[in-house]
């Protein structure tokens, strides 16, 4: 089928009338031009009798999203025929329209350039997606729009080398405009947590595009999240704050570096006090912070190492142990935490070796990475630390042994004294 067919079908969908279809040699009047004869006329006649419902429109848009149109210029088709469905009364149609228009634009090399015919269309698409994400009444549609904006980041990693820069993608050039950034920050107040989580990842990625406009609002966001984490009453609120902070740290690594110390000092006291699920998310955030600003964590490594050892010894939660291994691995790689953990906690190597032997493949692999990152310790130094630790661990047993030895010495002394009294005075 030609693009003439797709355009006419989309126009008929938008008007709500019956479809008017032209297939290769068959005109909209139903006349046969090709060599297929009567069968082609029957297909066209049958298609004309189909009432366009919301289900058919969803199916058509879903088909558009799944086809590869990278060799075709669909700019006018996208602008005139697909974008109109973003205002459709049905939420399902709006969601499929968002997916279709995003996939077409993201898969076409025409829109990967910063100049030419595709720039205007891509800019209009981004504005419509941002508007849908902010103003749509359906939470699923808002989430779909934000996910399509975030999906463009993964497409940039697989784009061709002809892209203008490796750190940007098809949408970032247009989302970096002031009006779009301000609208994205409005989404930080959305009642759906997934929307806030996704839009924060998009904002963190856009810092390198327009830092002068984003950083002031991003600072306020960091302070707000830390305040909410400190005074949150429920565990679910703390988990949401931690996830938002972790996404922000991962998406805007170099720009969040000045706030690594404040974030770490806020979450460190809460690692041992929360539930295993909350502790796992806190340790994941520690791992991300260690990668971004390892030097900021160095003064607190002793207390952090104690929390990591406590998490590694917790047999009730495998995700918590996995997060602890990631935190230990990143602290060893980026904070200089090597060899000394074996000296302070001689049982650490035994714990890691047991995790390699008994845990699942993911945990076992992370444990091996931690062993490699911690480095090799001198065997004599490790033996001395182990003996010192075992001596401290058996201090109670040592006290009992000393008491028994003293009691035995007392008994022997009493016997010698008794023999001396019966022997009489020494000879002259």
């Amino acid at each position: 089928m030609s693009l003439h067919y797709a355009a006419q079908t989309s126009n008929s969908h938008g008007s709500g009338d019956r479809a008017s279809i032209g297939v290769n040699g068959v005109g909209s009047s139903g006349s046969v031009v090709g060599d297929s004869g009567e069968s082609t006329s029957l297909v066209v006649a049958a298609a004309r009798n189909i009432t366009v419902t919301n289900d058919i429109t969803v199916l058509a848009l879903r088909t558009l999203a799944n086809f590869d149109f990278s060799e075709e210029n669909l700019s006018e088709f996208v602008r005139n025929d697909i974008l109109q469905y973003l205002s459709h009364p049905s939420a399902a149609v709006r969601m499929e329209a968002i997916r279709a228009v995003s996939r077409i634009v993201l898969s076409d090399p025409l829109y990967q350039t910063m100049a030419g015919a595709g720039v205007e269309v891509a800019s209009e698409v981004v504005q419509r997606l941002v508007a849908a994400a902010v103003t749509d009444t359906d939470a699923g549609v808002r989430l779909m729009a934000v996910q399509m904006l975030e999906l463009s980041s993964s497409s940039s990693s697989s784009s061709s080398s002809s892209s203008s820069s490796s750190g940007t993608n098809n949408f970032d050039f247009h989302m970096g405009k002031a009006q779009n950034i301000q609208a994205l920050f409005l989404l930080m107040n959305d009642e759906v947590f997934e929307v806030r989580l996704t839009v924060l990842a998009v904002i963190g990625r856009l810092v390198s595009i327009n830092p002068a406009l984003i950083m002031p609002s991003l600072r306020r966001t960091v302070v707000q999240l830390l305040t909410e984490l400190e005074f949150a009453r429920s565990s679910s609120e703390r988990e949401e704050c931690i996830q938002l902070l972790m996404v922000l740290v991962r998406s805007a690594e170099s720009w969040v570096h000045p706030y690594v110390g404040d974030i770490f000092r806020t979450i460190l006291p809460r690692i041992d006090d929360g539930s295993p699920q909350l502790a796992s998310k806190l340790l994941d955030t520690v791992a991300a912070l260690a990668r971004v600003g390892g030097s900021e964590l160095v003064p607190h490594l002793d207390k952090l190492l104690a929390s990591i050892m406590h998490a590694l010894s917790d047999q009730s939660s495998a995700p918590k142990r996995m997060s602890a291994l990631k935190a230990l691995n990143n602290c060893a790689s980026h904070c200089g935490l090597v060899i000394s953990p074996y000296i302070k906690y001689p049982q650490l190597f035994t714990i890691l070796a047991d995790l390699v032997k008994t845990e699942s493949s993911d945990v076992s692999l992370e444990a091996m990475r931690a062993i490699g990152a911690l480095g090799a310790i001198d065997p004599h130094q490790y033996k001395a630390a182990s003996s010192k630790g075992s001596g401290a661990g058996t201090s109670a047993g040592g006290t009992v042994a000393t008491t028994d030895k003293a009691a035995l010495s007392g008994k022997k002394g009493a016997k010698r004294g008794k023999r001396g009294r019966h022997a009489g005075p020494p000879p002259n």
Side-chain angles (χ1 to χ4, degrees):
M1 295 183 181
S2 64
L3 293 179
H4 177 62
Y5 161 77
Q8 287 188 348
T9 305
S10 300
N11 287 330
S12 65
H13 287 181
S15 61
D17 298 330
R18 298 186 182 273
S20 174
I21 303 175
V23 182
N24 291 334
V26 181
S28 59
S29 62
S31 60
V32 180
V33 180
D35 56 355
S36 57
E38 184 180 357
S39 61
T40 305
S41 300
L42 292 176
V43 171
V44 175
R48 284 178 173 177
N49 294 325
I50 296 176
T51 302
V52 179
T53 62
N54 289 341
D55 293 337
I56 294 178
T57 306
V58 168
L59 180 60
L61 292 171
R62 190 173 298 166
T63 304
L64 282 174
N66 293 330
F67 270 83
D68 182 16
F69 295 107
S70 57
E71 301 298 329
E72 302 288 346
N73 183 1
L74 302 183
S75 298
E76 295 303 321
F77 178 55
V78 169
R79 176 184 292 174
N80 299 328
D81 296 292
I82 302 182
L83 284 179
Q84 62 179 338
Y85 289 102
L86 269 66
S87 303
H88 196 276
S90 173
V93 173
R94 296 198 301 272
M95 290 178 64
E96 291 300 330
I98 290 173
R99 181 185 288 110
V101 71
S102 302
R103 294 289 175 84
I104 291 174
V105 173
L106 290 175
S107 61
D108 197 334
L110 174 68
Y111 306 104
Q112 296 178 6
T113 60
M114 303 306 174
V119 174
E120 186 177 352
V121 176
S123 178
E124 185 175 353
V125 168
V126 168
Q127 290 181 3
R128 295 293 298 272
L129 290 180
V130 172
V134 175
T135 62
D136 201 282
T137 57
D138 188 87
V141 176
R142 297 198 304 274
L143 180 59
M144 174 63 66
V146 177
Q147 286 177 342
M148 290 298 103
L149 295 175
E150 198 272 338
L151 181 64
S152 59
S153 63
S154 61
S155 67
S156 65
S157 60
S158 59
S159 61
S160 61
S161 59
S162 62
S163 181
S164 60
S165 61
S166 59
T168 60
N169 53 69
N170 306 22
F171 285 166
D172 285 356
F173 176 73
H174 308 284
M175 285 193 296
K177 297 179 180 179
Q179 57 182 357
N180 293 330
I181 291 175
Q182 293 171 359
L184 290 175
F185 270 106
L186 293 177
L187 284 172
M188 289 302 300
N189 300 315
D190 197 280
E191 66 269 19
V192 180
F193 173 69
E194 287 78 9
V195 173
R196 302 199 304 272
L197 193 69
T198 308
V199 77
L200 190 59
V202 175
I203 292 173
R205 194 182 73 237
L206 293 176
V207 178
S208 58
I209 304 295
N210 196 343
L213 185 61
I214 295 179
M215 282 307 298
S217 300
L218 200 62
R219 293 189 189 99
R220 290 196 299 269
T221 301
V222 171
V223 173
Q224 180 181 354
L225 290 175
L226 292 178
T227 304
E228 292 178 0
L229 177 62
E230 187 172 358
F231 296 102
R233 297 182 179 180
S234 63
S235 178
S236 60
E237 293 178 354
R238 295 192 185 96
E239 289 182 15
E240 289 183 358
C241 292
I242 287 299
Q243 291 185 55
L244 290 171
L245 285 171
M246 184 167 56
V247 167
L248 182 60
V249 171
R250 289 177 175 176
S251 60
E253 292 184 352
S254 58
W255 301 96
V256 182
H257 185 275
Y259 313 104
V260 168
D262 295 332
I263 297 174
F264 182 73
R265 285 188 291 271
T266 303
I267 67 176
L268 181 59
R270 293 165 175 79
I271 295 178
D272 298 329
D273 299 337
S275 62
Q277 185 177 359
L278 178 60
S280 175
K281 288 179 170 48
L282 289 170
L283 289 169
D284 286 337
T285 308
V286 169
L289 291 173
R291 181 178 177 180
V292 174
S295 59
E296 300 291 337
L297 276 62
V298 172
H300 312 280
L301 286 180
D302 290 340
K303 187 174 181 181
L304 175 61
L305 188 58
S307 299
I308 291 175
M309 291 297 300
H310 182 268
L312 289 175
S313 303
D314 188 0
Q315 300 298 322
S316 62
S317 176
K320 184 178 179 180
R321 295 195 297 274
M322 183 67 173
S323 300
L325 287 172
K326 292 180 180 178
L328 180 62
N329 192 359
N330 281 11
C331 287
S333 302
H334 302 282
C335 303
L337 187 65
V338 295
I339 299 178
S340 58
Y342 288 140
I343 299 176
K344 188 170 184 178
Y345 297 96
Q347 71 274 22
L348 175 60
F349 183 78
T350 303
I351 294 175
L352 294 177
D354 291 339
L355 291 176
V356 172
K357 297 176 183 177
T358 60
E359 291 290 344
S360 61
S361 58
D362 294 338
V363 178
S364 176
L365 180 60
E366 195 66 32
M368 286 189 285
R369 289 173 179 168
I371 292 174
L374 288 172
I377 187 174
D378 182 16
H380 298 287
Q381 190 177 10
Y382 178 72
K383 185 176 181 181
S386 301
S387 60
K388 182 179 179 181
S390 60
T394 57
S395 57
T399 303
V400 173
T402 304
T403 305
D404 293 342
K405 188 181 293 184
L408 184 60
S409 301
K411 289 182 181 179
K412 290 182 179 180
K415 289 182 180 180
R416 286 196 298 269
K418 187 175 181 180
R419 285 197 301 268
R421 286 195 301 271
H422 288 288
N428 295 326

